[in-house]
């Protein structure tokens, strides 16, 4: 039986507009196949999205919640402009460097388009669909590279790697073991791959086959962050479903448990097949003595040293796009993997605190909605927030995409509730 609330909402809310829905799907697809903009598809989709959003805003076709003027406008429009001017005018950061660090904020043009769609279920469904296509893309390329290697076509593997670097797709083709072993494992890590974390949790609502396929794609990336946070999320869903009275609780528990069985099955197959070095490579990342950990600790120490030298620098940062000397790598760098600290370094403690509180505000708001999808989005947002600080992707279209989706889901849920209250009167 269809939920009575859903029936009422279908009567009250107009069907999703085809144009914003199409533009949203195009933008997501472009982010998957052209994450670095090397093919121009991402820029074209962004341009069309921006044009439509501006037309709707100036013609009054979009109704923003009051909180938009209080939160999003200051945090994601006015503040970036201020810090851009501060960097160029006070800290003398080259304009190109400063602008490149601010451009991810343009992703927020997607927010009014999602509000125009006016259907929270549609925006989540489209996100799931496109992310599933992304998982298919990862899996396909993984086995193409594997087949090319074992049939003696290593030149094709090199060509794929060259094209991925040239068009800023990510890291494709190279052996993640770094040449330390004769074992060959394809490296298929797109710049958007961290989105597999929230997408896998949302896919639990679809089918067992699709959710397991998403988990399989996450494993194929060989990314410690993706694998760890994906299974941390599945574990969270499992525990929450034990105490939840949702009608899908048993289904979620089963699919989360099957995902863990899939993981152990792959681990056992690799171990029995003599591929222990792959397991050692992934587990090494968790070691406090690993090179990656040592570098990150060095970055953190350097950031703390730099910020402690000047109170103004602590509050307002060193300037977006600025560089500093890190003992982690022994040279000047502008971006570091510990992106939460890099956010504080570039923007200062004032903006970073506001940014972190905004994420927390959305997490609480999503959880308080009390619906199944809102909880899954909240889990995915928190896990991505932590994971994005290790890559770095915190101030990027990747994290902003999930943040915007979360914010739009909250706004549309509140709009639905207001309409229902008005109808009850």
């Amino acid at each position: 039986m269809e939920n009575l609330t859903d029936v009422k909402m279908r009567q009250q809310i107009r069907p999703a507009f085809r144009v914003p829905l199409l533009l949203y799907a195009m933008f997501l697809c472009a982010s998957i196949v052209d994450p670095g903009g090397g093919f121009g598809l991402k820029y074209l989709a962004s341009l069309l999205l921006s044009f439509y959003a501006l037309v709707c805003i100036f013609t009054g076709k979009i109704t923003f919640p009051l909180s938009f003027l209080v939160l999003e406008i200051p945090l994601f429009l006015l503040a970036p402009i201020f810090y851009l001017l501060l960097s160029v005018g006070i800290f003398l950061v080259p304009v190109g460097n400063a602008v490149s660090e601010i451009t991810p904020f343009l992703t927020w043009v997607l927010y009014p388009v999602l509000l125009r769609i006016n259907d929270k279920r549609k925006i989540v469904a489209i996100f799931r669909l496109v992310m599933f296509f992304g998982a298919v893309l990862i899996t396909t390329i993984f086995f193409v590279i594997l087949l090319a290697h074992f049939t003696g076509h290593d030149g094709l593997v090199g060509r794929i790697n060259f094209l991925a670097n040239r068009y800023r797709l990510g890291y494709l083709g190279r052996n993640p073991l770094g040449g330390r072993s004769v074992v060959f494992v394809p490296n298929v890590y797109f710049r958007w791959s961290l989105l597999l974390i929230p997408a896998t949790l949302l896919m639990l609502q679809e089918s067992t086959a699709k959710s397991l396929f998403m988990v399989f794609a996450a494993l194929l990336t060989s990314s410690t962050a993706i694998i760890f946070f994906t299974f941390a999320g599945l574990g969270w869903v499992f525990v929450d479903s034990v105490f939840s009275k949702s009608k899908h609780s048993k289904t979620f528990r089963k699919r989360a448990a099957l995902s863990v069985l899939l993981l152990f099955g792959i681990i056992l197959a690799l171990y029995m097949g003599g591929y222990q070095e792959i397991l050692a490579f992934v587990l090494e990342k968790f070691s406090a003595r690993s090179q990656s950990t040592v570098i990150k600790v060095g970055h953190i120490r350097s950031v703390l040293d730099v910020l402690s030298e000047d109170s103004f620098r602590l509050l307002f940062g060193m300037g977006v796009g600025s560089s500093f000397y890190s003992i982690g790598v022994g040279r000047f760098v502008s971006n570091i993997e510990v992106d939460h600290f890099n956010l504080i370094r570039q923007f200062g403690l004032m903006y970073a605190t506001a940014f972190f509180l905004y994420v927390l505000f959305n997490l609480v708001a999503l959880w308080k909605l009390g619906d199944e999808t809102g909880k899954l989005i909240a889990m995915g947002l928190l896990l991505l927030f932590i994971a994005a600080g290790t890559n770095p992707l915190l101030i990027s279209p990747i994290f902003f995409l999930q943040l915007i989706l979360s914010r739009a889901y909250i706004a549309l849920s509140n709009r639905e509730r207001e309409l229902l209250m008005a109808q009850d009167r």
Side-chain angles (χ1 to χ4, degrees), residues 84 88 92-103 320-322:
L84 174 63
V88 174
L92 303 180
V93 176
V95 176
N97 294 355
V99 170
S100 65
E101 294 294 325
I102 295 299
T103 50
V320 292
S322 62

Side-chain angles (χ1 to χ4, degrees), residues 203-222:
M203 196 58 72
L204 291 171
Q205 295 179 309
E206 286 283 336
S207 68
T208 301
K210 286 184 177 180
S211 61
L212 289 177
F213 187 81
M214 294 293 291
V215 172
F216 184 62
L219 292 171
L220 292 185
T221 64
S222 299

Side-chain angles (χ1 to χ4, degrees), residues 306-322:
V306 167
L307 295 179
S308 63
E309 295 175 356
D310 189 329
S311 57
F312 182 84
R313 185 180 293 174
L314 175 64
L315 293 176
F316 295 97
M318 298 177 64
V320 292
S322 62

